[in-house]
Amino acid sequence: MAALLRGSRCLAGKCHNHVNAAQVSIRSMASKTQVGFIGLGNMGNPMAKNLMKHGYPVIASDVFPESCKELQELGAQILDSPADVADKADRIITMLPSSPNVIDVYTGPNGILKKVKKGSLLIDSSTIDPAVSKEMAVAAEKLGAVFMDAPVSGGVGAATSGKLTFMVGGLEEEFNAAKELLSCMGANVVYCGQVGTGQAAKICNNMLLAIGMIGTAETMNLGIRLGLDPKLLAKILNMSSGRCWSSDTYNPVPGVMEGVPSANNYQGGFGTTLMAKDLGLAQNTATNTKTPVPLGSLAHQIYRMMCARGYASKDFSSVFQFLREEEDKCG
Amino acid sequence: MAALLRGSRCLAGKCHNHVNAAQVSIRSMASKTQVGFIGLGNMGNPMAKNLMKHGYPVIASDVFPESCKELQELGAQILDSPADVADKADRIITMLPSSPNVIDVYTGPNGILKKVKKGSLLIDSSTIDPAVSKEMAVAAEKLGAVFMDAPVSGGVGAATSGKLTFMVGGLEEEFNAAKELLSCMGANVVYCGQVGTGQAAKICNNMLLAIGMIGTAETMNLGIRLGLDPKLLAKILNMSSGRCWSSDTYNPVPGVMEGVPSANNYQGGFGTTLMAKDLGLAQNTATNTKTPVPLGSLAHQIYRMMCARGYASKDFSSVFQFLREEEDKCG
Amino acid sequence: MAALLRGSRCLAGKCHNHVNAAQVSIRSMASKTQVGFIGLGNMGNPMAKNLMKHGYPVIASDVFPESCKELQELGAQILDSPADVADKADRIITMLPSSPNVIDVYTGPNGILKKVKKGSLLIDSSTIDPAVSKEMAVAAEKLGAVFMDAPVSGGVGAATSGKLTFMVGGLEEEFNAAKELLSCMGANVVYCGQVGTGQAAKICNNMLLAIGMIGTAETMNLGIRLGLDPKLLAKILNMSSGRCWSSDTYNPVPGVMEGVPSANNYQGGFGTTLMAKDLGLAQNTATNTKTPVPLGSLAHQIYRMMCARGYASKDFSSVFQFLREEEDKCG
Amino acid sequence: MAALLRGSRCLAGKCHNHVNAAQVSIRSMASKTQVGFIGLGNMGNPMAKNLMKHGYPVIASDVFPESCKELQELGAQILDSPADVADKADRIITMLPSSPNVIDVYTGPNGILKKVKKGSLLIDSSTIDPAVSKEMAVAAEKLGAVFMDAPVSGGVGAATSGKLTFMVGGLEEEFNAAKELLSCMGANVVYCGQVGTGQAAKICNNMLLAIGMIGTAETMNLGIRLGLDPKLLAKILNMSSGRCWSSDTYNPVPGVMEGVPSANNYQGGFGTTLMAKDLGLAQNTATNTKTPVPLGSLAHQIYRMMCARGYASKDFSSVFQFLREEEDKCG
C-alpha cells in the first residue's frame, strides 16, 4: 500500500517527462541492438526465441541455468544475473511468476536496477499486483530508466506462435518503443494507460472470466438436473442473454463442444492454480481500493478450494466437474 | 416438493400418450376456432392482440375487469372466470405473475380444470417453479387435457411486436399444436423437452444473465478505480475471454454504449424485482434438486438487497450504480 | 407456497378455537391411554421406548417392518399403516425424515387423515418446511383434529436418555396436552407460537449454528496460518467478542478440546448431510419470504459441496478439515 | 508481500537475541523514565493520559498540533516529529489509523527510525497488516531496536478507563518490559507469539465477530418473518447451539436487550467503517497466505456495501437494520 502511495505521488512529477524525451532519442537509434530477457520459463522461453527470429540479439538470464541451455544453443548470450544483463542491454523484458520475483529481479542485490543504464526501457510481462508495477516504475524512474507493465493473455501455444495479446501500461510516449519489441511476440499490443493499467486490464478480464466460467458451470449443471439436454441448453443460452465466452467458446460440459479442455478430461488450457493466483491479485487490488467485488471474491474462494481437490493442474473449466461430483456423490 | 414427486411419478405413466393421440386428431380440425386467454397484464394484453391479428377469436378473462376493456373493444369475448373460458374454448393460454396465481387459475374453485374439456390444450406462458408446472400437467392429464409450459424471453416491446421467444416444455406430439398459436406471438418457439423444461431453460438463462451482469458491473467498477477508461476496458473485455452479453450488448456503465438502459438512467429494460423473482425460482429449484449454485445464490441475495434501495423498478443493469455508489459515498 | 397461503388464511378463522375447546375436554380424560407413533428410525425408536417407560401403551407403524421388531418385543402393538394407527389412537406422534414423507404419512392413501378421529392430537417431530406444517394443520383442522409441529434439537444420545429439546408450534390451548407426552422424551419443551414456529425456531438455530461453525473453522485456520497456537487463539476468541458455541463448546480444531467430534476424527455428532438438509429448509423459507440471508445461503452451498467430498457422514465441524486440506494440498 | 518474506527471513536470525539481552538490562533500570507517544487521536489521547496517571513522563507528537494541547496542559512535552521523540525517549508507543501511517511514522523522513536509540522498545498499538508489523520489526532490528505489535480490543470507553485488552506479538524476552507500560492502559495484556501475532489475533477475532453479527442479524430477521417473537427467538438461540456473543451480549434487534447500540438507534459502539477496515486486513492476510475464508470475505463485502448506505458511522450491529430495510421496502 505504501508503495502504491509513493508510486502515485512520484509519477505525478513533471521532471520525468523531460528526462524521457531524452531517453527516446537515444533508444530510437538503437533498434536491432541487443535486448535483455530475464525469466526463461514455459512462457519466457518461446517469447525470447521469437525475439531472436526477428533478428534481435538476446542477452538472457534465469535463476535456473538449465532453462538457458536451449536459448544459448540458438546463439543467445547467457549472463549470471539481471544486473549483468542491465549492464549490457538498454532494453530488457522480464517474464516472472509473481510479485516477489519481480521485486527481487528489479530491486534485489543482483537486480536490474543495480546496473541499469540511464534511458533504459524495462518491460515486465509478468502478471503481478499493479501496486508493485507502480513501485518498480518509481524505482526505475529515480535512476533515469523507464518501466512499463505488459502482461499477456494467451498461453504457451500463443507464446510459441507469437500470437500473444499484450496489455501495456506506462508513459504513452514510450509505447511505440515497447510495441516495436512486443510485436515480435504478440498479435495484439494494446495501450491501456498509466503504469499498472496493463495489469489492471489483465486482472479485470480474468476476474470476469472466472465469474462467467463458474456461472456457466452452475447453470449447465442445474439445467441438466432439471431435465435439459446439455447441447440444447448451451444452444438456448448462446442465442439468449446468458451467452458468454465460457458458454459459447469454451463450454465446460463434456460433449457440448469439440477441441476444448472439457472434451479432453480438462487437460491443457488454463490451470486452476493460475486462475486462483490471478483472482488473488484481483482480490487484493479490490480490497486496497475499497471496491466491492462480491462475485469476484466468491469465485476466488471457489478456485482456492479446487486447488486442493486434485484440480490444481486441470483446466479452470473443470469447475463443472467439481460442482458436478458434489451432486453425484451427495447422499 | 410433494407436487414434484407426484408429478414425476404420474408423467412416467404410459396411458396418457394413448389419450393424447386421440386429442390431437380432435384439435387438428379446430384451427382458427376460439382461443382462451387468461391474464391480460402488460404482457398478456399485447399477446392476446397478436392472436386476434392472426384471425383467432379470443375469449378472455382477468381478475381485474378494467384490464379487459381494450380487448373487448377489439371484439374479444370477456367471461367472468377461467372456468367459464374452459367451458367455451379447448385451447387456452395463461400469462400470470407467479406460481400461486397459476395454481389458483388452474386448480382454484373457479379454475380452468373445473370445466376443462377432454383433449383441451392448456399453455402456460407464466414464469414459475417447474415443479408447479409438473403439478398442473398431472392435474390436467387426470382430466384428459394437455398442459404445456411455455415461458417467454423478451419484454413488453417484444410482446407487442410479436417477437417473443417461447421455451416450450411438454409432450413432443403436442408441440406443433402449441407452436401454431405461439408463432402468432413470437419469433422463436423452441422445444425444450418434458413438462417443466421450458421453465428450466428460462430460469437457467436468467440465472447466468444475472451472474454475468453483476460480474460485469464489479469488473468495470474495479477497472475504473484502477485507472482504466470504461470504453477501453469494455473494448478489451469484449475482444477477450471476459466477453459476455452484459459486457458487449447491454453494458451497465453509463457512456459505454448507446440505446441501453445504462444510457438512460436505467429506465425501461428488465426490472430488478423481476430478476429477483426469477433468481428466487432458480434458488428453489437448485435447493430442491441439491444442486450447488454458489454464484447464482449470491446473485439472488444481491438483487434482493437492491430491491429495497430504490432499485426495484430500475433496470437490473443498475447493479453497477448500486456497487458504484458504495465506493462514492464510502469514507 | 400455495399451501402457505391457504394455511395462513384458514388458521386465522375463529371457529376452530371453539372446536378445540371440546377436543381438550375429551382428551383430558384420556391420559395414559394408547399413543400412536409413526416412524421408528434412529430417533423415533428410542423416543417411543421412553413413552412406554412412562407407562403409555404405544401403537406403532413404520414403512420398514423390521424397524418395529424391537418395540414389538417390548409390548408395543404394530399396525400396517398410519391410517390404522389413527383408527385406534387419538394422540399420535410422527418422526419422519423429510417433508414428502410427512405429506405422505398424513395425507397419503393410507395416511393418518384417512381415519383420524375428531379431536385427535397429532404431533409431528420431524424437521420440515414450516409451510408444510401449516398445510398439514389446515388439513387436520378440516377433520376436527389438531396438528402441532414439535421438531427436536439433540441427537440419538439425547433421544435415548430422554433429554431432547422440543420446539413446539400450534394452538396455545393445546400446548399442555402436547407437553404431557413430549416431557416423557425431552428435558425442555418450549412453546414457540402458531403452527410452523417450532420448525422456524429449529431452522433459525441451525442456520446460525452453521454460520458460526464455518466462521470458527475459517478463523482458526487463518490464525494458525498466521502463526498463532490453536489453543491460545481459541482462548483469546472465547474471552472476546468472537466467542460462539462452535468456538467455546464444540471447537472444530483437533487438539483444542476433549470429548468433541474434532477430538475423534469427526466421528459421531451431527452429520454434514443433516446440516445440509436443514440449511436447504432455511434457504427455501428465506426465498419464499423474500428474506435476504447472504451468509446462510453461502453456508448452505459449502455444506452441499462437503457432502460430495467424503464428509457426508462426518460431523459438521469437519468443515475445518475441509478448508484445511485445501491449503495443505494447494500448490 | 516482499516485506513479509524479508521479515520472516531476518527474524529467524540468532544475533538479535544476543543484542536484546543487553537491551533488556539497560531498560530495566529505566523504569518511570520518559515514554514517547505518537498519535493522540480518540484512542491515543486517553491512553497517553493513563500513562501519565501512572507517573510516566510523556513526550508526545502528532501530525495535528491541536490534538496535543490537552496533553500539554497536563504536563506532557510535545515535539515536532516522531524522530525528535525517538531522540529523547527509548520507550515509544504508537497509536495510528492504518498501515501507511505506521510506515511513515517509523520509516518516513522524520520517522522514529531516523533517530532511534540502540535498545529502544517500540510498541505499535495500531491495527494494521501483520506483514507491515514484521517489516517494521526488521527495520528496527537492523538499528538494534525492538519492535512489538500490540493492537487493542475495546473502544474509547475502555481506553479512558484503562480497561483495554492488548494482544502482543514480538520477542518473548521483551514481553515483560512491554507489559509494564501496557498494564497502565489495559486490564488484559496477552502474549500471542512472534511479531505480527498480536495483529493476527485481533484480525481473527474481528473476522469471526463480523460473521457472527451478520449471521445473527440474518437469523433474527428470518425468524421474525416466520412469525417468531424476537425476544423468544433470542432466548431459544442463547440456550442452544446458535448462541454467540452477538446473540447473547450485543443483540442487533431493537427491543431484545437493554444498553446495547440496537437499543439506541445504533449510536456509539463499533463503527461500520472500522469493521470494514479490519475485514479488509483479514481479507488481505487470507489472500496472501492462500487461506480460504468464504464467509469472512462475504462479510467484508457486506460491510463495504453498508458504508455507502448511511451506515458508515452507525454501530456494526446495524446490519440488522440494513437487511431489515430490504424486506420492508421490497415490493
Side-chain angles (χ1 to χ4, degrees):
Chain A
M1 221 166 327
L4 183 55
L5 297 176
R6 280 199 304 278
S8 31
R9 221 184 296 114
C10 304
L11 282 174
K14 207 169 189 65
C15 52
H16 68 244
N17 297 325
H18 184 61
V19 176
N20 297 328
Q23 295 159 11
V24 180
S25 56
I26 300 165
R27 254 187 283 99
S28 59
M29 305 175 293
S31 199
K32 297 285 177 177
T33 58
Q34 297 170 316
V35 174
F37 204 105
I38 317 285
L40 301 172
N42 299 335
M43 293 294 289
N45 207 331
M47 285 166 72
K49 280 189 206 158
N50 281 323
L51 267 179
M52 294 174 75
K53 280 195 194 131
H54 282 72
Y56 289 93
V58 165
I59 307 180
S61 182
D62 190 283
V63 282
F64 303 107
E66 58 275 21
S67 56
C68 303
K69 286 216 177 62
E70 192 181 357
L71 217 59
Q72 191 163 27
E73 289 158 5
L74 292 171
Q77 181 181 0
I78 308 301
L79 300 180
D80 290 346
S81 74
D84 297 343
V85 172
D87 188 37
K88 287 239 165 72
D90 67 359
R91 292 181 294 182
I92 303 176
I93 294 161
T94 53
M95 189 60 171
L96 304 156
S98 66
S99 296
N101 308 99
V102 170
I103 291 168
D104 193 50
V105 161
Y106 280 86
T107 65
N110 297 313
I112 290 171
L113 299 186
K114 278 280 178 299
K115 298 190 182 175
V116 71
K117 297 175 184 168
K118 254 191 167 313
S120 291
L121 176 64
L122 311 173
I123 304 173
D124 179 37
S125 286
S126 320
T127 295
I128 62 170
D129 187 332
V132 173
S133 300
K134 290 184 180 183
E135 193 172 4
M136 296 302 106
V138 172
E141 184 190 11
K142 287 179 181 157
L143 301 167
V146 177
F147 174 96
M148 303 184 90
D149 56 307
V152 302
S153 75
V156 173
T160 306
S161 58
K163 296 259 175 294
L164 294 167
T165 293
F166 288 90
M167 288 157 274
V168 185
L171 301 167
E172 192 156 14
E173 60 266 41
E174 296 289 347
F175 177 61
N176 287 333
K179 191 172 183 178
E180 176 196 329
L181 297 179
L182 300 177
S183 305
C184 307
M185 305 178 281
N188 301 304
V189 184
V190 185
Y191 181 69
C192 298
Q194 65 176 24
V195 144
T197 53
Q199 299 294 351
K202 168 80 183 278
I203 287 171
C204 284
N205 181 74
N206 285 12
M207 184 174 89
L208 186 50
L209 169 60
I211 292 168
M213 179 54 78
I214 298 174
T216 301
E218 286 180 15
T219 302
M220 293 295 295
N221 191 24
L222 178 60
I224 291 166
R225 306 225 40 202
L226 292 174
L228 286 161
D229 168 76
K231 280 191 166 183
L232 174 64
L233 176 54
K235 191 181 142 226
I236 292 171
L237 294 174
N238 294 337
M239 62 185 245
S240 313
S241 49
R243 167 179 60 78
C244 63
W245 185 86
S246 297
S247 69
D248 67 16
T249 304
Y250 207 85
N251 199 290
V253 182
V256 170
M257 293 177 70
E258 295 292 310
V260 289
S262 62
N264 185 27
N265 194 26
Y266 304 104
Q267 303 292 310
F270 184 53
T272 292
T273 39
L274 292 171
M275 180 53 93
K277 175 210 161 196
D278 290 357
L279 289 169
L281 290 173
Q283 185 74 81
N284 277 342
T285 55
T287 301
N288 296 340
T289 56
K290 294 184 176 166
T291 310
V293 289
L295 297 192
S297 99
L298 183 51
H300 176 211
Q301 303 298 325
I302 291 168
Y303 276 111
R304 192 65 79 202
M305 293 181 183
M306 283 175 64
C307 285
R309 304 278 173 240
Y311 292 85
S313 59
K314 289 187 176 187
D315 178 68
F316 78 113
S317 65
S318 60
V319 64
F320 172 76
Q321 195 182 49
F322 178 73
L323 294 172
R324 185 77 174 164
E325 278 182 24
E326 310 304 336
E327 157 253 314
D328 290 346
K329 294 184 196 161
C330 209
Chain B
M1 220 165 329
L4 182 55
L5 298 177
R6 278 200 304 279
S8 33
R9 223 186 295 115
C10 304
L11 281 174
K14 211 172 186 57
C15 52
H16 67 246
N17 295 324
H18 184 60
V19 176
N20 297 327
Q23 295 159 13
V24 180
S25 56
I26 300 164
R27 254 185 283 99
S28 57
M29 307 175 291
S31 198
K32 297 286 179 177
T33 57
Q34 296 171 315
V35 174
F37 204 105
I38 317 284
L40 301 173
N42 299 334
M43 294 294 288
N45 206 331
M47 287 167 71
K49 280 188 207 160
N50 281 321
L51 267 180
M52 293 173 77
K53 282 194 195 131
H54 282 71
Y56 289 92
V58 166
I59 306 180
S61 182
D62 191 282
V63 281
F64 302 108
E66 58 275 21
S67 56
C68 302
K69 285 215 178 62
E70 192 182 357
L71 219 61
Q72 191 162 24
E73 289 157 3
L74 293 170
Q77 182 181 359
I78 308 301
L79 300 180
D80 290 345
S81 73
D84 297 341
V85 172
D87 189 37
K88 287 240 166 71
D90 67 357
R91 291 182 295 181
I92 303 175
I93 294 162
T94 53
M95 189 59 170
L96 304 156
S98 66
S99 296
N101 307 101
V102 171
I103 292 169
D104 194 48
V105 161
Y106 280 86
T107 65
N110 297 311
I112 291 172
L113 300 187
K114 278 280 179 295
K115 297 191 183 175
V116 71
K117 298 176 186 168
K118 253 194 168 311
S120 290
L121 175 63
L122 312 173
I123 303 173
D124 179 38
S125 286
S126 321
T127 295
I128 61 170
D129 186 332
V132 173
S133 300
K134 290 186 181 181
E135 191 173 3
M136 295 303 104
V138 172
E141 185 190 10
K142 287 179 182 156
L143 301 167
V146 177
F147 175 96
M148 304 185 89
D149 56 307
V152 303
S153 77
V156 173
T160 306
S161 59
K163 295 258 174 296
L164 293 167
T165 293
F166 288 89
M167 288 157 276
V168 185
L171 300 167
E172 192 155 15
E173 60 267 42
E174 296 288 348
F175 178 61
N176 287 333
K179 192 171 182 178
E180 177 196 328
L181 298 178
L182 299 177
S183 306
C184 307
M185 305 178 281
N188 302 304
V189 183
V190 185
Y191 181 69
C192 298
Q194 65 176 27
V195 143
T197 53
Q199 298 294 353
K202 168 80 183 279
I203 287 171
C204 284
N205 181 75
N206 285 11
M207 184 174 89
L208 186 49
L209 169 61
I211 292 168
M213 179 55 79
I214 298 174
T216 301
E218 287 181 14
T219 301
M220 293 294 296
N221 191 24
L222 178 59
I224 291 165
R225 308 230 34 204
L226 292 174
L228 286 160
D229 168 75
K231 279 191 167 181
L232 175 64
L233 176 53
K235 189 180 143 224
I236 293 172
L237 294 174
N238 294 337
M239 63 186 246
S240 312
S241 48
R243 167 178 60 78
C244 62
W245 184 87
S246 297
S247 70
D248 67 17
T249 304
Y250 207 85
N251 199 291
V253 181
V256 170
M257 294 178 70
E258 295 293 309
V260 289
S262 63
N264 185 28
N265 195 27
Y266 304 106
Q267 304 293 309
F270 184 54
T272 292
T273 38
L274 292 171
M275 180 53 94
K277 175 210 160 194
D278 289 357
L279 288 168
L281 291 173
Q283 185 74 80
N284 278 343
T285 56
T287 300
N288 296 341
T289 56
K290 292 184 176 167
T291 310
V293 289
L295 297 192
S297 100
L298 183 50
H300 176 211
Q301 303 299 325
I302 290 168
Y303 276 111
R304 192 65 79 202
M305 292 180 184
M306 283 175 65
C307 286
R309 304 276 173 240
Y311 292 85
S313 59
K314 289 187 176 188
D315 178 69
F316 78 113
S317 65
S318 60
V319 63
F320 173 76
Q321 196 182 48
F322 178 73
L323 294 172
R324 185 76 173 165
E325 277 181 25
E326 309 304 334
E327 157 255 312
D328 290 341
K329 296 186 198 161
C330 210
Chain C
M1 222 165 332
L4 183 54
L5 299 177
R6 277 200 307 280
S8 33
R9 220 184 300 114
C10 305
L11 281 174
K14 211 176 187 57
C15 52
H16 67 245
N17 297 324
H18 184 61
V19 176
N20 298 327
Q23 294 159 14
V24 181
S25 56
I26 300 164
R27 254 187 283 98
S28 60
M29 305 175 292
S31 197
K32 298 287 178 176
T33 57
Q34 296 171 316
V35 174
F37 204 106
I38 318 284
L40 301 172
N42 299 335
M43 293 295 288
N45 205 331
M47 286 167 71
K49 280 189 205 157
N50 280 323
L51 267 179
M52 293 175 76
K53 281 196 194 129
H54 282 73
Y56 289 93
V58 166
I59 307 181
S61 182
D62 190 281
V63 282
F64 302 109
E66 58 275 20
S67 55
C68 303
K69 286 216 176 63
E70 191 180 359
L71 218 60
Q72 189 163 25
E73 288 157 3
L74 292 171
Q77 182 180 357
I78 308 300
L79 300 180
D80 290 345
S81 74
D84 297 343
V85 172
D87 188 39
K88 286 237 164 72
D90 67 357
R91 292 180 295 180
I92 304 176
I93 294 162
T94 53
M95 188 60 171
L96 304 156
S98 66
S99 298
N101 307 101
V102 170
I103 291 168
D104 193 49
V105 161
Y106 279 86
T107 65
N110 297 311
I112 290 172
L113 300 187
K114 278 280 178 298
K115 298 190 183 175
V116 69
K117 298 175 186 169
K118 255 193 167 311
S120 291
L121 176 63
L122 312 173
I123 304 173
D124 179 37
S125 286
S126 321
T127 295
I128 61 170
D129 187 331
V132 173
S133 300
K134 289 185 181 182
E135 193 172 3
M136 295 302 106
V138 172
E141 185 190 10
K142 287 178 181 159
L143 301 168
V146 177
F147 174 96
M148 302 184 90
D149 57 306
V152 303
S153 77
V156 173
T160 307
S161 59
K163 295 258 175 297
L164 293 166
T165 292
F166 288 90
M167 288 158 276
V168 184
L171 300 166
E172 192 155 16
E173 60 266 40
E174 296 289 347
F175 178 60
N176 286 332
K179 191 171 184 179
E180 177 196 330
L181 297 179
L182 300 177
S183 306
C184 306
M185 306 178 280
N188 301 303
V189 183
V190 185
Y191 181 69
C192 298
Q194 65 175 28
V195 139
T197 54
Q199 299 294 353
K202 168 79 183 280
I203 287 171
C204 285
N205 181 75
N206 284 12
M207 184 174 88
L208 186 50
L209 169 60
I211 292 168
M213 178 55 79
I214 298 175
T216 301
E218 286 180 15
T219 301
M220 294 293 297
N221 191 25
L222 178 59
I224 292 165
R225 307 228 37 201
L226 292 174
L228 286 160
D229 169 74
K231 278 190 168 183
L232 175 64
L233 176 54
K235 191 179 141 224
I236 293 172
L237 294 174
N238 293 336
M239 62 187 247
S240 312
S241 49
R243 167 180 59 79
C244 62
W245 185 86
S246 297
S247 70
D248 67 16
T249 303
Y250 207 85
N251 199 290
V253 182
V256 169
M257 294 177 70
E258 295 292 310
V260 290
S262 62
N264 185 28
N265 194 27
Y266 304 105
Q267 304 293 310
F270 184 54
T272 291
T273 39
L274 293 171
M275 180 54 94
K277 175 209 159 195
D278 290 357
L279 288 168
L281 291 173
Q283 185 73 81
N284 277 344
T285 55
T287 300
N288 296 340
T289 57
K290 293 185 175 167
T291 311
V293 289
L295 297 193
S297 96
L298 182 50
H300 177 211
Q301 303 298 326
I302 291 169
Y303 276 111
R304 192 65 78 201
M305 292 181 184
M306 285 176 64
C307 286
R309 304 275 173 242
Y311 292 85
S313 60
K314 289 187 177 188
D315 178 68
F316 77 113
S317 65
S318 60
V319 64
F320 172 76
Q321 195 182 49
F322 178 73
L323 294 172
R324 185 76 174 164
E325 278 181 26
E326 311 303 336
E327 156 255 312
D328 290 343
K329 295 185 198 162
C330 210
Chain D
M1 222 167 327
L4 183 55
L5 298 176
R6 279 199 305 279
S8 32
R9 221 186 295 111
C10 304
L11 282 173
K14 210 171 188 58
C15 53
H16 67 245
N17 295 324
H18 184 60
V19 177
N20 297 327
Q23 294 160 11
V24 179
S25 55
I26 301 165
R27 255 188 282 99
S28 59
M29 303 176 295
S31 197
K32 298 287 177 177
T33 58
Q34 297 171 314
V35 174
F37 204 105
I38 317 283
L40 300 173
N42 299 335
M43 293 294 289
N45 207 331
M47 287 167 71
K49 280 189 206 160
N50 280 322
L51 267 179
M52 294 174 76
K53 281 196 194 129
H54 282 72
Y56 289 93
V58 166
I59 306 181
S61 182
D62 190 282
V63 281
F64 303 108
E66 58 277 18
S67 56
C68 302
K69 285 214 177 65
E70 193 181 357
L71 219 60
Q72 191 162 25
E73 289 157 3
L74 292 171
Q77 182 180 357
I78 308 300
L79 300 180
D80 290 346
S81 73
D84 297 343
V85 172
D87 188 38
K88 287 239 164 70
D90 67 357
R91 292 181 295 181
I92 304 176
I93 294 161
T94 52
M95 188 60 170
L96 304 157
S98 66
S99 297
N101 307 99
V102 170
I103 291 168
D104 193 50
V105 161
Y106 279 87
T107 65
N110 296 311
I112 290 172
L113 299 186
K114 278 279 178 296
K115 297 190 182 177
V116 70
K117 298 175 185 169
K118 253 194 169 312
S120 291
L121 176 63
L122 311 173
I123 304 173
D124 179 38
S125 285
S126 321
T127 294
I128 61 170
D129 187 331
V132 173
S133 301
K134 289 183 180 181
E135 193 172 3
M136 297 302 106
V138 172
E141 184 189 12
K142 287 180 180 155
L143 300 167
V146 177
F147 174 95
M148 303 184 90
D149 57 306
V152 303
S153 76
V156 173
T160 306
S161 58
K163 296 259 174 296
L164 293 166
T165 293
F166 288 90
M167 288 158 275
V168 185
L171 300 166
E172 191 156 16
E173 58 267 40
E174 296 289 348
F175 178 61
N176 287 333
K179 191 172 184 178
E180 178 196 328
L181 298 178
L182 300 177
S183 306
C184 306
M185 305 178 282
N188 302 304
V189 184
V190 185
Y191 181 70
C192 298
Q194 66 177 22
V195 144
T197 53
Q199 298 294 353
K202 168 80 182 279
I203 287 171
C204 284
N205 181 75
N206 285 11
M207 184 174 88
L208 186 50
L209 169 60
I211 292 168
M213 179 55 79
I214 299 174
T216 301
E218 286 180 16
T219 302
M220 293 294 297
N221 191 24
L222 178 60
I224 292 165
R225 304 225 41 199
L226 292 175
L228 286 160
D229 168 76
K231 278 191 168 182
L232 175 63
L233 176 53
K235 189 180 144 228
I236 292 172
L237 294 174
N238 294 336
M239 64 186 245
S240 312
S241 49
R243 167 178 60 77
C244 63
W245 185 87
S246 297
S247 69
D248 68 15
T249 304
Y250 206 85
N251 199 291
V253 182
V256 170
M257 293 178 70
E258 295 291 310
V260 289
S262 62
N264 186 29
N265 194 26
Y266 305 105
Q267 304 294 309
F270 184 54
T272 292
T273 39
L274 292 170
M275 180 53 93
K277 176 209 160 196
D278 289 357
L279 288 168
L281 290 173
Q283 185 75 79
N284 277 342
T285 56
T287 302
N288 296 340
T289 57
K290 293 184 176 166
T291 310
V293 289
L295 298 191
S297 101
L298 182 51
H300 176 212
Q301 303 299 327
I302 291 169
Y303 276 111
R304 191 65 79 203
M305 292 180 184
M306 283 176 63
C307 286
R309 304 274 173 244
Y311 292 84
S313 59
K314 288 187 176 187
D315 178 68
F316 78 114
S317 65
S318 60
V319 65
F320 173 76
Q321 196 183 48
F322 177 74
L323 294 173
R324 185 77 174 164
E325 277 181 26
E326 309 305 336
E327 157 254 311
D328 291 342
K329 295 185 200 159
C330 210

